Amino acid sequence: MKNKITFGRFEATCITITLLSTQLFLNLPRIMMEAAWTAAWILTVYISLLALVLFTIIFKLYKRFEGKDLLDLGEHIGGSIGRIIVGVIVLFFLLYIAPVILREFSENIKIIALPQSPLSFVMIFFVAGMIAASYLGIEAIVRFSAIIVPIIIAGYLLIIAGSIQYTDISRITPWLGSGPYEIFVKGIPRISVFAGIILIYLLFPFIRTYRNFKTVGYASIGLSGFFLIIGVLVFSLVYQYPTGTESFLPVYQLARLIDYGRFFQRVESIFVIVWVASALLHLTTLLFLIVYVFKKTFKLEFYKPLIIPFSIVVYTLSFFPHNLISAIELEKSFRNLAWIISFLLPIVLLVIARFIKKNPKKEAGNA
């Protein structure tokens, strides 16, 4: 039985960009600078190109499996056992990153705007928004993203444009920073920056066609890569290495610099609005994916009864890091390994699936 809910390429691209680019509002520019020094922007360009190459391999392999998500591929290969194994792997992936992202956003908003509020109080607002949006369903989330993402992008570009006056090209010399080996060899695992691309592998049944899948994938990676590159580049041009590695919320620091006379100050207020909207959309998408994958993995009829229990799980797990620094370290670990799930897993499943022939009538009966 096919999904009745469908959405277009623009909506799917917007929601995928959210998962790929929100990390800009956390620590990505600083992490890139720690890895490549003055060549942080080159490393970002490099991993963006690698992501495009790997996605090209994936979408070409996907040609025979139009409309199938990762769990469907697992079922194609190994029946119910295959579906459950792939589902559990994806669930572990999502349940690792969602609490870490929730903790980071909550800690940061507490530091910036609500210093007197308990951390648990700040988190509750995010969790309440996640629950409410998840009850509305994936269609509402995706349609809303098509409205809010262009606004978030406009706010982000405003901050970048306002920061250009403080740039100095000498701050990105020497050009190769930490060296070619650190950038082009040890930098390969940094492709996990694009781990959010897993979203379109899970939403394939909702975007239906192979052509839509290809367009959304390229547009999402291309636009996100552009936003990441200009963010890291401008940050590197404003804050020279190693000073930039000590910055708290790099894009927020850029916003604080902007001052165009007495009537255009405190631009960081725009950052907070853009940041909270982006964070809420990002976290809501992660929560919905968790309950959706769990439902499909174990062939449950409804997903809504799972929203509250998994919200509690994510909320509880978010307290496991001792502090913000521990949460950042956990995210770094995730960013070094997430490529295995986002890029390697789909390639392995698709290669294996191509060697397994199924009876079309049997597959139609199981659909």
Side-chain angles (χ1 to χ4, degrees), residues 293-311:
V293 170
F294 188 90
K295 167 189 172 293
K296 188 161 185 176
T297 298
F298 298 103
K299 291 285 188 180
L300 303 179
E301 189 173 355
F302 303 106
Y303 75 89
K304 289 186 177 180
L306 301 171
I307 293 174
I308 297 295
F310 273 111
S311 299

Side-chain angles (χ1 to χ4, degrees), residues 121-192:
F121 177 78
V122 178
M123 281 188 183
I124 284 293
F125 281 97
F126 278 117
V127 173
M130 293 159 61
I131 292 171
S134 296
Y135 267 106
L136 294 175
I138 186 61
E139 187 173 15
I141 295 170
V142 171
R143 306 290 184 207
F144 179 72
S145 74
I147 299 171
I148 199 67
V149 168
I151 298 173
I152 293 171
I153 291 172
Y156 169 69
L157 293 178
L158 176 65
I159 293 170
I160 294 298
S163 303
I164 290 176
Q165 62 176 319
Y166 302 103
T167 60
D168 182 347
I169 197 167
S170 67
R171 292 181 180 137
I172 57 172
T173 56
W175 301 109
L176 289 179
S178 56
Y181 181 77
E182 291 289 329
I183 297 171
F184 300 112
V185 179
K186 293 184 70 174
I188 291 175
R190 302 284 178 182
I191 197 174
S192 295

Side-chain angles (χ1 to χ4, degrees), residues 74-354:
E75 188 166 19
H76 178 87
I77 294 168
S80 296
I81 298 298
R83 183 191 69 247
I84 291 171
I85 291 173
V86 173
V88 169
I89 292 172
V90 174
L91 272 173
F92 178 81
F93 173 86
L94 296 171
L95 283 170
Y96 181 96
I97 193 57
V100 173
I101 296 295
L102 174 60
R103 178 63 178 269
E104 286 193 71
F105 273 118
S106 300
E107 288 268 18
N108 289 325
I109 201 68
K110 172 178 163 60
I111 293 169
I112 293 173
L114 301 168
Q116 303 300 319
S117 302
L119 179 62
S120 56
F121 177 78
V122 178
M123 281 188 183
I124 284 293
F125 281 97
F126 278 117
V127 173
M130 293 159 61
I131 292 171
S134 296
Y135 267 106
L136 294 175
I138 186 61
E139 187 173 15
I141 295 170
V142 171
R143 306 290 184 207
F144 179 72
S145 74
I147 299 171
I148 199 67
V149 168
I151 298 173
I152 293 171
I153 291 172
Y156 169 69
L157 293 178
L158 176 65
I159 293 170
I160 294 298
S163 303
I164 290 176
Q165 62 176 319
Y166 302 103
T167 60
D168 182 347
I169 197 167
S170 67
R171 292 181 180 137
I172 57 172
T173 56
W175 301 109
L176 289 179
S178 56
Y181 181 77
E182 291 289 329
I183 297 171
F184 300 112
V185 179
K186 293 184 70 174
I188 291 175
R190 302 284 178 182
I191 197 174
S192 295
V193 165
F194 291 91
I197 199 65
I198 195 172
L199 174 67
I200 65 168
Y201 309 146
L202 297 174
L203 294 185
F204 203 162
F206 297 96
I207 57 179
R208 294 292 181 90
T209 70
Y210 178 74
R211 182 179 179 182
N212 287 348
F213 175 78
K214 175 183 175 181
T215 303
V216 171
Y218 275 126
S220 301
I221 295 174
L223 289 171
S224 297
F226 171 74
F227 299 138
L228 297 177
I229 291 165
I230 62 170
V232 172
L233 177 59
V234 170
F235 179 73
S236 300
L237 290 168
V238 174
Y239 293 96
Q240 189 170 20
Y241 176 85
T243 305
T245 60
E246 300 172 359
S247 294
F248 166 75
L249 290 179
V251 177
Y252 177 70
Q253 298 303 326
L254 291 177
R256 291 188 64 186
L257 291 174
I258 301 173
D259 185 350
Y260 285 99
R262 62 188 299 182
F263 296 108
F264 196 71
Q265 300 176 349
R266 305 287 296 180
V267 179
E268 63 267 26
S269 301
I270 296 175
F271 170 83
V272 173
I273 295 170
V274 167
W275 186 46
V276 170
S278 180
L280 192 55
L281 190 55
H282 186 107
L283 290 166
T284 297
T285 305
L286 288 176
L287 178 62
F288 179 84
L289 288 178
I290 289 169
V291 297
Y292 171 76
V293 170
F294 188 90
K295 167 189 172 293
K296 188 161 185 176
T297 298
F298 298 103
K299 291 285 188 180
L300 303 179
E301 189 173 355
F302 303 106
Y303 75 89
K304 289 186 177 180
L306 301 171
I307 293 174
I308 297 295
F310 273 111
S311 299
I312 295 171
V313 169
V314 171
Y315 179 78
T316 303
L317 290 176
S318 66
F319 285 100
F320 272 68
H322 297 296
N323 48 43
L324 177 58
I325 301 301
S326 299
I328 291 172
E329 290 302 317
L330 286 173
E331 188 194 356
K332 285 183 181 178
S333 300
F334 171 83
R335 297 297 176 196
N336 287 330
L337 299 173
W339 65 272
I340 296 173
I341 306 298
S342 295
F343 292 101
L344 184 59
L345 177 63
I347 290 173
V348 170
L349 289 175
L350 287 163
V351 169
I352 295 173
R354 288 175 73 89

Side-chain angles (χ1 to χ4, degrees), residues 37-112:
W37 305 357
T38 52
W41 69 278
I42 294 177
L43 176 57
T44 311
V45 171
Y46 176 58
I47 60 174
S48 299
L49 293 175
L50 280 180
L52 286 171
V53 170
L54 289 175
F55 179 75
T56 299
I57 295 171
I58 290 169
F59 96 75
K60 285 185 178 297
L61 290 171
Y62 240 124
K63 192 167 186 178
R64 285 175 46 191
F65 305 99
E66 184 176 74
K68 291 184 181 294
D69 61 23
L70 293 181
L71 279 70
D72 294 326
L73 291 175
E75 188 166 19
H76 178 87
I77 294 168
S80 296
I81 298 298
R83 183 191 69 247
I84 291 171
I85 291 173
V86 173
V88 169
I89 292 172
V90 174
L91 272 173
F92 178 81
F93 173 86
L94 296 171
L95 283 170
Y96 181 96
I97 193 57
V100 173
I101 296 295
L102 174 60
R103 178 63 178 269
E104 286 193 71
F105 273 118
S106 300
E107 288 268 18
N108 289 325
I109 201 68
K110 172 178 163 60
I111 293 169
I112 293 173

